[in-house]
Each structure stands twice: as structure tokens, then as C-alpha cells.
Amino acid sequence: MAPSGSLRIPVAVLLLLLWGALWTHGRRSDVRIITDENWRELLEGEWMIEFYAPWCPACQNLQPEWESFAEWGEDLEVNVAKVDVTEQPGLSGRFIISALPTVYHCKNGEFRRYQGPRTKKDFINFISEKEWKSIEPVSSWVGPGSVLMSSMSALFQLSMWIRTYHNYFIEDLGLPVWGSYTVFALATLLSGLLLGLCMIFVADCLCPSKRRRPQPYPSKKLLLESSQPLKKVEEEQEADEEDVSEEEPESKEGINTDFAQNAIRQRSVAPSLATDKSS
């Protein structure tokens, strides 16, 4: 009888542990999941967001504290959320995640990076005592909703898309590495050509170039009509030259007569001056 009684305690302890594990696993988490589709919910209300990766040891150590902190979310009137950067690369680029885990605080669209201790107590004090007011918010031009960060998000999503298809070409289709690179190179060239054609089409629609119509070849009738004014001009020029040639001798004769008259006057004046001096 003694051996059977001694086995009851380990079995009871094992059952309690198993029940606790099942209860913990089956209990609904208070941490909300943020994705590329619903991230704009962060712009309203107060949030604490954790960016993590399943393979990160520091993120694994933070998970129990984060779950315990999320239980206080309703009392503190704060939403506790997390983002898996391996599943949501666009949000990783949108928030410029360079280290894991990274925690952000958001209040009515203003984002602040939390850099304090990572314990449940510190998280609670950060919200209850409003310690986030002492942190400078992220500038609007690099905020998650800005055009720059939207472009960064698209770039990160494109890089993940390329990586996924690269693995698909190599592992599933059995292409060599250089074959996968060749496919992406051709796709890049074709997309560049299409983009260039679209830009040229848009530019031509917005700023159309002035096209000169080709002048028709002149007919014989037009040539004859155009030559008549030229003949008239030449005849008028010849007539003017003849008039000038006739006027030139007359002008020369007038100049000669004027010169003779001036000489006679000078001779008549010279003796009078001589008599005046002698007197």
C-alpha cells in the first residue's frame, strides 16, 4: 500500500502542471496583432507596439513580460500590440526597425520610441505616469504615414517578394542561381522599358510638341506669279539707276559753276583788302 500512496503526489503534481500548461495555451492573449492591412488603427488612441522576430532570443525573453503587461491594458486604457517583422516586412520598413525587439508608443498618431527597461512594471509606469511626454516624437516627414515611409514600405515588400520567388526558382523549379538572376535581370529591363514608354506617353500628353507641317512643293503657276514681282522690282531698280546717271552730270556742272563763281569773288575781295592795308 505504501508504494501506491507515494505515487499519488507526483501524479497530482504532473496533472496540475499539465492543466496549467493547457490553460495558459488555450487562454486568449490580450496582445493584438498588427499587419500591413490594419496598421492604421494605431493612428487612433494610445498604443504600445512591439516589433519582434520568432528567432530572436531577446524577443523570446520579452514575450512573458509583454503578455503580462497586456493584461493591464484595459485598466491603463492602452492597446498592447505586436508585429512579426518576418511576416510583415512592409511595417519593418515603415517604422525603420533596425534592432529587435523594438517598442514604440503611439498617442493619437504621434509615435515615440521606447528605450527604457523591458519589464512589466516599467511598461506600466511608462503609461500610468505619462513618462512618454519626456520623449521627442518622431518627425512627421519620417512618420509611418508619410510618403517617404510609404515608399520605404513598398521597397521592403518588393525585396521580400524577390527573395520569395528566388527561393521558389531555386528550390522548387530547380533553376541554378545564375538562372534566377537572369530572370530578374530580364524582368528589370522589361519593366524599365515599359516605365520609360509610359513616362514618354504621359509627357507627350501633358506637353505636346509643336509639329511643323511640311510645305507643299510650289506649282508652276505659283512660281510664275512669284517671279513677276521680282521682275517689277528689277525694272524699278534699273529705272532708278538711269535717273541717278542722268542727274550726275547736272550735279557736276552745278558744282563747276559754283566753284568758278567762288573763285571770281575771292579775286575781287583780294584787291580791296590790299588797298585797305596800304591806307
Side-chain angles (χ1 to χ4, degrees), residues 226-236:
S226 61
S227 61
Q228 290 178 358
L230 293 175
K231 290 181 178 179
K232 291 181 180 179
V233 172
E234 291 177 355
E235 292 176 356
E236 291 177 355

Side-chain angles (χ1 to χ4, degrees), residues 27-210:
R27 186 173 62 88
R28 186 180 64 88
S29 176
D30 294 320
V31 180
R32 300 181 62 175
I33 306 299
I34 300 298
T35 63
D36 285 313
E37 287 74 23
N38 65 350
W39 77 270
R40 290 192 176 275
E41 295 180 5
L42 303 175
L43 302 178
E44 297 180 0
E46 189 171 8
W47 293 77
M48 287 287 285
I49 314 104
E50 175 203 5
F51 292 83
Y52 74 101
W55 49 262
C56 173
C59 301
Q60 296 172 3
N61 295 331
L62 178 59
Q63 292 309 307
E65 297 290 335
W66 197 251
E67 292 287 345
S68 300
F69 169 59
E71 297 176 1
W72 289 77
E74 187 175 353
D75 298 332
L76 297 172
E77 296 181 353
V78 63
N79 300 300
V80 181
K82 63 181 180 180
V83 178
D84 186 354
V85 296
T86 60
E87 297 291 335
Q88 308 297 329
L91 291 180
S92 177
R94 190 179 293 276
F95 285 85
I96 318 179
I97 304 303
S98 57
L100 295 174
T102 297
V103 178
Y104 270 94
H105 172 268
C106 179
K107 178 73 172 179
N108 296 328
E110 288 187 349
F111 290 85
R112 295 173 173 84
R113 188 164 182 173
Y114 176 83
Q115 296 180 344
R118 298 169 184 171
T119 63
K120 179 183 73 173
K121 181 180 179 181
D122 292 308
F123 292 142
I124 292 173
N125 292 335
F126 183 78
I127 298 299
S128 60
E129 298 180 6
K130 297 183 178 181
E131 296 178 359
W132 49 268
K133 290 186 176 181
S134 61
I135 302 176
E136 188 71 19
V138 176
S139 177
S140 59
W141 69 276
V142 291
S146 64
V147 177
L148 179 62
M149 291 299 102
S150 297
S151 302
M152 188 68 69
S153 175
L155 182 62
F156 271 64
Q157 289 177 345
L158 178 63
S159 64
M160 183 58 67
W161 180 84
I162 292 174
R163 181 179 178 182
T164 301
Y165 276 90
H166 177 70
N167 294 333
Y168 172 75
F169 290 151
I170 294 175
E171 298 175 1
D172 297 344
L173 299 181
L175 291 178
V177 177
W178 63 266
S180 178
Y181 289 159
T182 303
V183 171
F184 285 113
L186 292 175
T188 303
L189 289 174
L190 291 176
S191 60
L193 290 174
L194 291 175
L195 182 61
L197 289 174
C198 293
M199 292 178 67
I200 292 172
F201 177 76
V202 172
D204 193 34
C205 291
L206 296 177
C207 302
S209 58
K210 296 181 179 179

